Structures are given as structure tokens and as C-alpha cells.
């Protein structure tokens, strides 16, 4: 029995031309992604450099993606702000553009105050006030605020909290959450490293940076898995692992954007403080893409 | 030979009435602080819950403090954003209100990318473009991005980077930086724990959360130190340590605001996700204030 | 094509009677484990409280396990000490008892000095001098010294370094190492959380604390996996995850030993500073064992 | 009113000749240190590479230092082991040689189990059973197990726990402990970075690695402080800071030993896994010693 949001999503990069956002380039990428089996798109995720954008830029990006996405592709939007009030406000402003669900990382500046109680209060207030369903987002490598599995299980009981994106890449987190949340709760993997093994152990899909550069590969792993063809899913996963490592872990967003340029999408520059990658990185990326047959 | 910015500053709290900022309450606090020997005020610091505010709210607070401060009190403003472009833009918008210098923590969401090179490029671009002098801000407990002393030393060579606020509370940081930066570079302590010892080892002043609740005490330690009265400075420091610990480290901004209420300033609530403090905390704070003679 | 060490090993607990090691109880446990499909036993691992033992006690335990193990069961021994010299010496003393390979965590007291260079020199000197094959051991949660994948890949080139036990539980580590080491290099999982998914992605076996309490379950997952019965392996893995979490992660060695007592093995007390578990923990463990049908 | 253990101690290095301990070289160093105002010596501290030694080597070092020390010089010995039982046993074996007190870091391999309760039970059992007074030792950079100030305060109530060595270098720790422990409790600084400021804020002395290379400087800072000559103490502290940083923090034990060789003591090699320092380090150290007039 399929679930409404299942499948693989691209955590979209944000194209810049010079120092301005380039919504035309974004639309161009989306038109290509529309031809794939991706289930949809995440706008304003970590990979989208959302923290580096103004609210105005952010909303224009949401508008552009909603307009460009083929019907049936689901739109997720990262809407976190540091205060509960601002998170609710921005979520509901963005909701007017027609997203399917909001993905919300925890507030993270006041790290030592982000107790389970504070995080629970934040997410529940948001879930009550938001006009769209909420996906909780665990990405401690960026936030420095790890969500604990018990909190996720508690939050999953709220009818407007419909899922989780888990980007620490831990199989343990999956094992500690999946049996204790409703079957309808969506568990999205946030790390390409464990796409196939995570699906095998109960994840419903994934929201992946690497899917910008390799949407067919990611979507095909999901399709093969669903078809019960575990051996082929496993084989493709062995290609995805080094690609994910190089583009997401080693070289980061600037590296991923370079791979997009090489693969015929628009990558372009990252916004400072993210530095451009160096020539060695470009050679590494080109070499790996060639090895993988791109 | 005195330096232009030396002395103790209060890292101001932001008063809220209900869920809105209360600039009238802020002015009321400032009028009281104007009677003390504080050298000035930091608006929009970490203690000011700056991450929880809109740009519009932020600028209204700057405007209010500039208007309320007695002539001679220097105004510092926290102006960091996550991207270099937005940091420059907000710094220069806020500069129009007449601040003395901007205090800028590093970008911190893309933690693993915030190499020395990325941080150097960020701060140098800011220093070039900013219409006000820049103070670098090290607060790894909140950012998760520690600045290294070598980077600070390099940045200190730029004519528009005039100082540092160091909030990790490390005496080692001071010892590793002070001898290697120009005498004119301002080293501000960001932790009340080490006000007197830090001054003794070469700091030029401090920008302190605890100075909201105990401005006279903090300013007096500085005055006694400057007057060469180390014994009395040391004695007052022994009072400051437990106060700083309880208000800043143990109970945080909500606790500090409660102390403000008890001491006749306006504290009020913190904005969520910061939770209100519990009754035990209130009793602890009241008891300590009493012990210290407030 | 099978590999000489493949399969699942129990990382044995060390039985104590009062404050003394109880080799008779250990032999009793081994005789039961001999009836299972475990490939062998690790003596003096982290789970064996090896750091809490004298050298004399340690060697008596090795002797007892070697004597009690059924022919064909392979014996691994944890032989790390903090200096290279002492590690070599203890490894070769223990080797006289007839172990198959030594498992060696990195030195970890001088954390900041344990650079890749220092660790490489340590392991290569050991590999040269040791009279038995060496397994490298990554367990940063205990050592505070994470091995990086590049170091492991370099070490795998040495003919006397025949494998790795990886206890951080990271699938990413596996993906970053497996393709770049010789096919003959043994990659052992050290976390029950990922037994089946780890095998699926290329691990050769596992050395598990939880296998003390559930040897049949762990060995059966391996057998099913090898037989190509992924669906059943996956189903049993779903039982193993909560068991591993409770016995290894939540309650630790004292909890694991209590489970041994409940299951008819000898668990007994842990040696201080490990505290006994409380009554609630005992109830939790009993309840989970019952749910799982033990 | 002076306290029995107050003053500055050298945390002795352990001389090796080739791969063996060289007690004759150690005696030679001690004879020189006997001419200084050091209060005594710590044998088998972190700086003494105690974790890299056998029990037999360790006891021979204690014996040698006790024999060589001038009457009046107090001998402290690091006696920690990972289990409570072994720590008690080794403490009492070493006590037979005539030490003044034992310095005991917490067990640190089972990091996640070293709760306040476990550490309290460990230290109290030790304090009860030990035939010498106990100094608690906080050195989280090596152990990965930070002691919290509340635990230290609780332990200070035991009559056989007579003090603390605090090597994290935090002034905050001092401020949070000093007012809440008996006046007779000895608070020793473990970081040369804060020798003078720490004394000023209530420490009773220090046990320092850097005192191997600069015993006169360290002892003189203490003497000046006690004489009320804060200005000169402060001035010497400004020399100590870069020396401590280079020898202890940047280049570590191998660097410190090189400085000993340059200064006419016996330094010699460190035991692996500590690597020798490189030529650049040797030049840096020689240059700094020259600048400081050695």
C-alpha cells in the first residue's frame, strides 16, 4: 500500500547568476527533472542555501518551482526560522504558493537551550498554526542540535506532523523510530549513502542533494526496490555511494553545482561564504562522473 | 593611554510585550543604564535574541537605542547574517542609524565549510564593504564554528576590523591573540566569568549579558582595575562569578530577564523557542540577588 | 567464494564472581555458544571490560576461551595498549595461546596527537612485529579517536593487517572503505543495528556484543543473508535492532550481563566503575526478551 | 595562612634511553629541580606518559623520584587505572614508596557510562581504600570525560579527597568550585596559561608540564603572587603564556622534551605512538627560548 509522499525528491540547489537568484535557470532544471521518476522537489533546503537568502528571494524561488513542476510532482519547502513566531509566519506565507508540506529544521542558535521540552513546544506550536503539513528535519551536522528519537516519536503523534527527514545518515535512528511511529508517518532519508539499505529497513523515500546531479539513478534505486529487485537496487547503490560522498560530503554545494554544470543542468556559483571549488575538485568530479558513465 | 572603545558594555536584552518588541521598555532600561559607568550598549547581540527577530524589528531596536543613549555612550550592533551579501547589506542598513561599530559572528549553518579560508574571505569582504568598523565575534557555544586565533590575528591587520569579542571564556585565547595584534585592536571579553582576570591579562573591556542585571558591578570592576586597585577589583569579581553563572550559564536569557524584573528594569518574557524559567529558577535567582545585596 | 574469517562473532563478556574473574563461568558460556553457528569469539574486547583487567587476568581469559572453544571456532583477542611497545608485547604474549587474530583499537589518551601519521606508524610497527594477523578497530565512542577511512585504506595494504572492526555503526564508513581495499580484507561490523544492511552492502561479518545474549539470532541473519534469503534476514534484523539498542546502547555491559542471566548464560556483575543496572532496567530487559520470544 | 601542598609542581616527563626508561636521567633532572623553588614533583602524570608504561616501570620511576627529591619537596603520583579495583591496588602499591598524595583522573574508556553517579562511586571507593590522600584530576582533553563542578564539590567533602588538579584551563571551573569547597581543599591549576590569573582568583598552586622546562619562571610567578607583587607576577605570566602554548599545546610532550634538552636537562625521545617533532618545531622552540632569554 503506497503512501502519499513516498519516493525520492531532489533537494534543489538555488541557481545564482552573479549574485542574484536566477529563477529562469531553476525552471530550466525543473523541466529536466520533470522527465524523471523523482516524486518531487524540496525548495529552500540546506542544499538550496536557504540560510543565505532573503525572504523575498525565498518566496520567488518557491513560486518558480511550483510553476515549473509537472502536475503530480510534490513540492516541499524548507521554512525554518530561529523563532517559533517567525517560523510559523514564513511557513504560512510560503504555503500560499501551494506547497505539499513544509520541512522544518529545529532552531539552533541557542543550542544549550534546545532541550527536548523546548523543541517539542516549538514543533507543536508550529504544527497547530501551520496551514500545511509539517516534516521534522534532523540535520545535526549543520544545526548542532540533534533531535532525539524519543522526541520524533512524540511529535509523530500530532496529526499535522506527517514525517521526518533524517540527514545524520544513521541507520540506528531509523531502527529506533520506524517501529514506534504510525505506519502513515513518512520517514525520509536525507543521505544518499544509505538510500537502498534505508529503504530496505523501512524508510519511505529520500530527499537528496545528490539527486540534483543524478536524479535518474536515485529514482531508479527506489523503483527497483519497490519492484522487489533488491540485487539491482544494491548494485546501483554501489554507484551512488561514491557520487554522494564526493558531491555532498567532500566538496559540498559548490561541488554539487559544478557536477550539475557538467551534466547539462545549471549549477553556477554558490553564494559566499561558500567558496568556489578548486581545479583539483573539478578534475575529481569530472573523473568520477566519467567512471560512472555520465 | 586609553582606547576609544574600552570599557564595559551591556549586551542588551530585547524587551517583548506579549509577542511584540517593546521599544518603550527598552528606552526605559537605557535611561537607567545611562546613569551608570557603562561605556555603551550592544544591540542585537546573542542576548538580544537577534536571531529571533525580523529585519524590521531589528532596525527599530537599533533606532530606539541610538535615540535613548546618552551622548558618549557608544552603540554596537550585531549585524551578522548567514551569507556575506546579506551581512553587508544589513550592516550598512543598520549603520544609517548611527552605530559606532558592528559586531559580527561568523556564518555558521554550513559548519564543515567554514574553513579558515572561507571565514577570512567573508570577514575581509565585509570589512571592505562596511560603512562602519567591524568587531569579530567568537561564540562557538552558539555558532558551533570556533574562530582560531591565527585567523583573528590575520583579520586584525585590516584597518576596518578594529576588535574582537571573545565569548568562549578562554584565557588561552586572550594570551594567544593579544601579543600578536596591534595595540589599537580592541579585545573585548564576552564572559563575565573572567572580567577582572581578563582585564589583568590585557583585555580592553567586555561586552556582557550579565551587565544588563548588574551594570554598576561590571563597570566598577573595570574602574577599579584601571585605577590600579586590583585587590578590590578581585573582590568584586568574586561576586560577579556566581551571578554570571546563574543568569547567563544556568538559566540563560529567560533567567536574565527575570533578574531584570527583580532589579527594577524591564525583563519580560523571551520569545519562543526559549522557554520561560520555572519557579525553582525564580527562587534561585531571587536568593542569589539577595545574598549579593541587591 | 568464502573468506577465512567471515561470519558473526560474539564479543564476549567477562564473567566475574565477586570481584574476581570466573573462568569456569566463561567456559560454561562458551560451551553453549559452541552449539550455535557463531564463527568464533572475541576475548578482551570492549564488551569484555578488557580495560578493567590486569594482564594476568587477561591472559587467563584468553587461555580459558581457547581451551573451551570447539575446533573451528576462531578466536580473536583484543590486545591494545596505549604505547606501541606495550601493544606489541601484549599481542605477542597473548598470541602464544593460539589466537587467530588480534583486534587492536588505537591508542587514545593523547587524543590530539593521534594524527593520521601517528596512527599509521603505530599500526605498521605493530603489523611488522606481531606474530598474528591484525584487525584494526574503530570505536570512537569509547576512544574519542576516530580512524579515518583513508587511513584504513592505507593500512589494508599491509599483508599482516587483514581486516577492520567498525563500531561507530556508520554505513558511510563501509561505503567509503569497501571498494578501496583488497577483496581479501575483512570488514567486520561492530554494531548490531546494521548487521543485515551492512552485510548487504559488503561487510564480511560482525563482531557483536549483542551476540552474547542472542547468538542464534545473529548467526541466523548471517546464514539467511548468505543463502540469498534477504527477506527473512531483514525480518530477523527488525528483532535485532531493539535488542541491540536496549542491551548495548541504553543499558550497556551491565544490562547485557543481566540479559545473559535471564537467558541461561552466566552474566553476573560488571566490574566498577560500571554500575549495576537498576530495577527499571531489569524490567525493561525482561519485557523485551519476552516480546521477542525468549 | 599557608596550606600544606600549595605551590608549583613539575608534572615530570619520563626520560627514555632508546626504548627503556632511564631512571638515572630522571635523577639528574630532579637534582637540578631540587635547586629551584618548586614545591614538588608529580610522577606518572599525563606528561610522564604514564599510560605508555608497565606497572613495573611506573613503580621504578616513583622510587627514583622519591629517592632523588630533596627533603621538603612533595611527591605526587598519578595512579589512575580504568577500574576501581585496579586503581585502588596501584595507588596502594605506589603509596609504599612514600608519596604525599595520589592524583587520579577518572576512568575514561566507557565514556557514556561515566555518569556523575559512576564517578562519585569510583572516587569515594578509592578515597575510602587508599592509604594516601587523593587529588581528583580533570583533564577532559585527554580523557573525554569532563568532571562537572558539582561532582567536585561533593567529593571535596570526603576527608581523604584533599584537592583537585584542573587541566581544562577554565577560569569558570575555578569560579564555580572555589567558593563551595572547604578552604583546606587544594585547587591546583593544570594549565600554565592561567597560572597568575588562576592564583589571583583563588587557586592554591599548579601542577604544570611547562615547569619541566621553566621551573624557575613558574615558581617565581607563585612567589611574586604570594608576596603581593601582582604587577611583576603578571609580567612574568606574559612570558609563560607563549612558552606554555608552544611546548604543551602546539608540540606536546615530544616538543617539551626537546626544550628540556636545549635547556640542559635530559629530555630525550617520547615513546611511540607519540611521534618525534620535526625540524621546524625544533627551530620554533629554539627561537622562542632565545626570545625569552634562555
Amino acid at each position: 500500500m503506497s503512501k502519499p509522499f513516498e519516493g525520492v525528491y531532489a533537494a534543489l540547489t538555488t541557481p545564482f547568476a552573479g549574485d542574484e537568484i536566477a529563477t529562469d535557470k531553476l525552471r530550466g532544471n525543473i523541466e529536466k527533472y520533470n522527465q524523471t521518476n523523482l516524486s518531487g522537489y524540496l525548495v529552500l533546503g540546506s542544499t538550496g542555501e536557504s540560510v543565505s537568502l532573503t525572504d523575498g528571494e525565498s518566496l520567488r524561488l518557491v513560486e518558480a518551482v511550483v510553476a515549473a513542476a509537472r502536475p503530480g510532482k510534490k513540492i516541499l519547502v524548507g521554512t525554518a526560522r530561529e523563532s517559533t513566531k517567525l517560523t510559523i509566519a514564513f511557513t504560512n506565507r510560503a504555503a500560499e504558493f501551494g506547497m505539499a508540506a513544509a520541512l522544518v529544521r529545529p532552531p539552533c542558535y541557542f543550542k544549550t537551550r534546545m532541550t527536548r521540552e523546548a523543541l517539542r513546544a516549538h514543533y507543536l506550536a508550529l504544527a497547530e498554526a501551520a496551514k500545511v503539513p509539517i516534516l521534522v528535519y534532523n540535520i545535526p551536522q549543520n544545526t548542532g542540535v540533534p533531535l532525539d528519537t524519543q522526541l520524533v516519536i512524540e511529535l509523530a503523534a500530532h496529526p499535522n506532523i506527517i514525517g521526518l527527514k533524517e540527514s545524520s545518515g544513521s541507520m540506528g535512528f531509523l531502527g529506533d523510530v520506524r517501529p514506534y511511529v504510525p505506519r502513515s508517518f513518512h520517514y525520509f532519508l536525507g543521505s544518499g549513502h544509505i538510500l537502498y539499505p534505508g529503504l530496505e529497513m523501512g524508510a519511505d523515500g529520500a530527499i537528496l542533494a545528490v539527486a540534483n546531479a543524478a536524479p535518474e539513478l536515485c529514482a531508479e534505486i527506489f523503483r527497483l526496490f519497490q519492484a522487489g529487485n533488491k540485487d539491482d537496487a544494491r548494485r546501483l547503490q554501489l554507484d551512488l555511494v561514491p557520487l554522494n560522498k564526493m558531491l555532498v560530503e567532500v566538496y559540498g554545494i559548490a561541488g554539487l553545482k559544478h557536477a550539475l554544470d557538467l551534466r547539462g543542468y545549471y549549477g553556477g556559483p554558490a553564494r559566499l561564504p561558500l567558496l568556489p571549488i578548486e581545479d583539483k575538485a573539478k578534475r575529481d568530479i569530472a573523473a568520477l562522473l566519467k567512471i560512472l558513465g555520465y
Side-chain angles (χ1 to χ4, degrees), chain A residues 1 26 54 107 111 126 146 161 202 204 220 235 239 247 269 282:
Chain A
M1 173 66 190
L26 179 57
T54 66
K111 289 184 172 43
L126 171 64
I161 297 180
D204 303 295
E220 181 66 2
R235 206 163 295 130
D239 281 356
L247 300 186
K282 293 183 181 177

Side-chain angles (χ1 to χ4, degrees), chain A residues 34-35 46 64 67 91 101 163 177 180 234 256 264 276 287 290:
Chain A
N34 280 338
Q35 311 309 314
S46 300
T91 301
V177 165
Y180 309 105
R234 179 185 166 283
L256 177 63
K290 194 169 174 191

Side-chain angles (χ1 to χ4, degrees), chain A residues 4-20:
Chain A
F5 289 92
E6 70 181 14
V8 177
Y9 297 71
L12 297 172
T13 62
T14 292
F16 295 104
D19 209 17
E20 301 298 325

Side-chain angles (χ1 to χ4, degrees), chain A residues 166-172 174 187 189-201 203 205-206 208 221 237 240-241 244:
Chain A
E166 205 296 294
S167 290
S168 78
S170 162
M171 292 291 289
L174 172 58
Y187 193 108
L189 305 161
S191 165
H193 248 119
I194 55 168
L195 175 53
Y196 161 62
L199 293 171
E200 179 73 344
M201 296 312 296
L208 299 177
I221 290 171
Q237 178 68 31
L240 184 59
V241 166
N244 185 75

Side-chain angles (χ1 to χ4, degrees), chain A residues 229-291:
Chain A
N229 188 343
K230 295 182 181 185
D231 288 338
D232 284 343
R234 179 185 166 283
R235 206 163 295 130
L236 291 186
Q237 178 68 31
L238 294 176
D239 281 356
L240 184 59
V241 166
L243 194 66
N244 185 75
K245 181 182 172 72
M246 186 173 289
L247 300 186
V248 179
E249 297 182 16
V250 177
Y251 293 124
I253 291 170
L256 177 63
K257 286 184 160 182
H258 183 68
L260 289 185
D261 286 328
L262 293 179
R263 291 219 60 212
Y265 303 99
Y266 182 86
R271 187 168 270 188
L272 292 175
L274 294 179
L275 295 179
I277 58 172
E278 305 194 349
D279 284 350
K280 180 190 174 299
K282 293 183 181 177
R283 287 194 301 270
D284 287 350
I285 292 168
L288 181 61
L289 290 180
K290 194 169 174 191
I291 287 171

